[in-house]
Amino acid sequence: MANHKSALKRIRQSEKKRLRNRYYHKTARTALKGLRNEEDKKVATEQLPLVISLLDKLVKKNIIHKNKAANLKSKLTKHVNKLA
């Protein structure tokens, strides 16, 4: 365990950030899963901008890499366009 006051503070801060990042990442994964399982094109078209916005926010907060977000957005857009 850390002995310095600053190290103890750093441990507290990093744990808070870890939990916050985990929450945002899990929320995004749930939204992605919901959009992937959507069968109705109208509903999927409404959900797509919200999910894309969520991914962009994760990139901005350095939770996921920008290329991963771009790949996910591309795949989701293809999926929505393919729905009948």
Side-chain angles (χ1 to χ4, degrees), residues 20-84:
R20 190 178 306 125
N21 289 344
R22 192 170 142 203
Y23 168 76
Y24 285 130
H25 199 191
K26 183 65 178 169
T27 305
R29 285 200 310 253
T30 305
L32 288 169
K33 189 175 182 182
L35 184 57
R36 281 191 192 118
N37 293 333
E38 188 59 53
E39 298 294 328
D40 186 21
K41 184 170 180 127
K42 186 179 181 202
V43 176
T45 308
E46 291 172 2
Q47 283 183 350
L48 184 63
L50 301 174
V51 173
I52 287 175
S53 172
L54 198 62
L55 289 171
D56 289 336
K57 287 176 187 171
L58 291 181
V59 170
K60 190 175 180 184
K61 294 176 182 176
N62 288 322
I63 296 173
I64 62 173
H65 195 271
K66 65 178 182 176
N67 291 352
K68 178 175 180 152
N71 289 334
L72 288 171
K73 290 190 283 189
S74 172
K75 285 180 185 176
L76 289 172
T77 305
K78 282 182 180 179
H79 170 70
V80 170
N81 289 337
K82 202 163 53 169
L83 290 175

